Amino acid sequence: MSLRAEYRPFHEPWHAQIFALTVHLNEQGHFDWKDWSKVFSGALSSKGSKELIINDDDYYLIWLKTLEEFLGETVKIQSDEIIQYFQDWRAAFLNTPHGQPVKLENLSAD
Amino acid sequence: MPHDVEKHSHSLLPSDPELKVKALETALVKRGLIDPAALDEIIDTYQNKIGPKNGATIIAKALLDKNFKKALIDDPMQILEKHGFLGRQGEHIKVVENTPEIHNIVVCTLCSCYPWPLLGIPPTWYKSDEYRSRVVREPRKCLSEFGVTLPKNTKVRVWDSTAEIRYLVLPILPDKYKDFDEEHLSEIISRDAMIGTALIGDPS
């Protein structure tokens, strides 16, 4: 009998990625964990009643949104910069033939 | 577009949050603020190296060795350091012992503070609004929903974790497991038993 097999820390790769990114930035000294924790708790308590956390997607969506705003203040990454890269990645996926590695250089379909 | 590629055969488009995370990572890498290899290392650590088995190792030892138990309760950080279980979000850990009089349960009502070096990443329910709000108000009812029924005279104490202090429950060792050795005992101590929402031997 063993109860160890159940441990499943991340349900989606992006949950793991945003978690690791936050931990890494903290360890690089870009912010204190206590400050992040305070901002994240604030976001959790002030969210609307329609944003209840029932699964990990709900939880990490709030984490992601909060982190974006937090990084605007701490490392001065602006939202228009993120939007641009978001669109670039989207275009790269749409323009990369299936089975090939998706890179940001694959922005156009020529 | 190359002639041998059909019109709709592009790579599968990730969801918006996935693309958003990639965008954020790209912005940070371009500024030299993060190292993608370090992210992989962190993920690997929490997926493969850290998890509830760390906590179970310590708890099993404490349940079988009275002196070790006393030392763990009196000065947990010294013991955890000796076993290599210090680390992120484990700077201040308090071990709370269950007794026939008191049953302890851990929550983080504000967010999801948790003893990472001992239990890894918290389960979904620990992060849910329902658990965080209800366990303080009606702990006994929550426990019964987890399948735990306590004797009437056992009081329930709820510990609210913070960024400064995190808790680990030292459960009661049922008589039927008293002959187990440390290794076998550690295998039946579940994550939930160390959060306080299960007893030793309960599947969770």
Side-chain angles (χ1 to χ4, degrees):
Chain A
M1 174 169 60
S2 174
L3 300 173
R4 283 184 181 173
E6 71 196 39
Y7 179 59
R8 190 181 168 201
F10 304 110
H11 292 245
E12 294 288 341
W14 73 268
H15 300 167
Q17 207 68 18
I18 193 75
F19 168 83
L21 207 137
T22 314
V23 167
H24 182 47
L25 282 167
N26 163 244
E27 289 184 344
Q28 296 290 101
H30 297 299
F31 55 80
D32 275 352
W33 195 264
K34 276 181 202 169
D35 293 334
W36 159 249
S37 204
K38 199 173 161 189
V39 171
F40 185 47
S41 318
L44 289 176
S45 63
S46 64
K47 65 187 166 43
S49 57
K50 287 183 181 168
E51 296 177 285
L52 275 185
I53 296 172
I54 294 165
N55 58 44
D56 275 22
D57 257 1
D58 305 328
Y59 175 80
Y60 283 108
L61 278 172
I62 295 173
W63 183 308
L64 174 59
K65 192 176 156 200
T66 312
L67 186 68
E68 260 185 87
E69 291 165 8
F70 187 59
L71 293 183
E73 292 163 26
T74 50
V75 297
K76 311 293 174 203
I77 298 262
Q78 301 307 322
S79 57
D80 50 0
E81 195 178 342
I82 299 171
I83 291 167
Q84 185 59 56
Y85 285 127
F86 175 90
Q87 287 166 348
D88 291 350
W89 271 111
R90 196 172 186 281
F93 271 92
L94 289 174
N95 293 310
T96 302
H98 185 72
Q100 288 185 23
V102 181
K103 294 177 181 173
L104 261 201
E105 297 90 82
N106 302 344
L107 289 177
S108 60
D110 55 11
Chain B
M1 187 178 277
H3 296 296
D4 58 346
V5 176
E6 289 174 21
K7 201 178 173 188
H8 296 294
S9 64
H10 59 71
S11 298
L12 192 65
L13 189 63
S15 67
D16 279 2
E18 285 173 85
L19 287 172
K20 187 60 84 66
V21 173
K22 288 182 94 57
L24 199 51
E25 193 179 330
T26 303
L28 292 163
V29 168
K30 296 249 179 197
R31 293 196 187 189
L33 294 174
I34 58 166
D35 169 13
L39 301 188
D40 294 342
E41 172 71 35
I42 292 169
I43 295 170
D44 179 54
T45 299
Y46 287 96
Q47 265 171 346
N48 304 312
K49 296 174 189 160
I50 293 181
K53 65 178 186 291
N54 287 4
T57 304
I58 288 286
I59 293 296
K61 201 172 173 58
L63 289 170
L64 296 175
D65 177 342
K66 278 184 184 169
N67 292 332
F68 184 83
K69 179 165 95 175
K70 186 175 184 316
L72 182 66
I73 292 171
D74 290 348
D75 189 357
M77 301 323 291
Q78 198 189 4
I79 299 281
L80 298 178
E81 185 178 9
K82 207 171 147 190
H83 284 76
F85 292 156
L86 291 189
R88 306 174 181 116
Q89 313 308 310
E91 293 86 352
H92 298 287
I93 287 179
K94 183 176 168 67
V95 176
V96 289
E97 183 184 11
N98 284 352
T99 64
E101 292 77 36
I102 302 266
H103 179 92
N104 299 286
I105 312 182
V106 182
V107 65
C108 173
T109 55
L110 285 179
C111 48
S112 48
C113 297
Y114 193 71
W116 293 356
L118 294 165
L119 298 183
I121 303 298
T124 303
W125 59 260
Y126 186 87
K127 298 174 281 201
S128 71
D129 280 302
E130 189 183 5
Y131 179 72
R132 292 188 296 115
S133 62
R134 282 188 55 214
V135 78
V136 178
R137 275 200 328 265
E138 41 186 20
R140 223 167 247 279
K141 195 166 177 215
C142 281
L143 273 178
S144 74
E145 287 167 26
F146 276 102
V148 175
T149 310
L150 298 172
K152 272 188 179 169
N153 53 354
T154 302
K155 289 183 180 162
V156 178
R157 185 178 289 166
V158 181
W159 298 85
D160 194 358
S161 314
T162 64
E164 285 83 24
I165 188 155
R166 288 122 205 276
Y167 302 92
L168 186 75
V169 173
L170 176 64
I172 290 176
L173 177 60
D175 284 341
K176 60 180 173 181
Y177 301 121
K178 283 199 167 137
D179 294 332
F180 273 40
D181 62 19
E182 231 175 88
E183 194 189 334
H184 287 99
L185 188 55
S186 78
E187 286 179 6
I188 58 159
I189 298 169
S190 68
R191 172 197 68 204
D192 292 7
M194 295 180 278
I195 301 175
T197 54
L199 306 176
I200 288 186
D202 284 353
S204 50

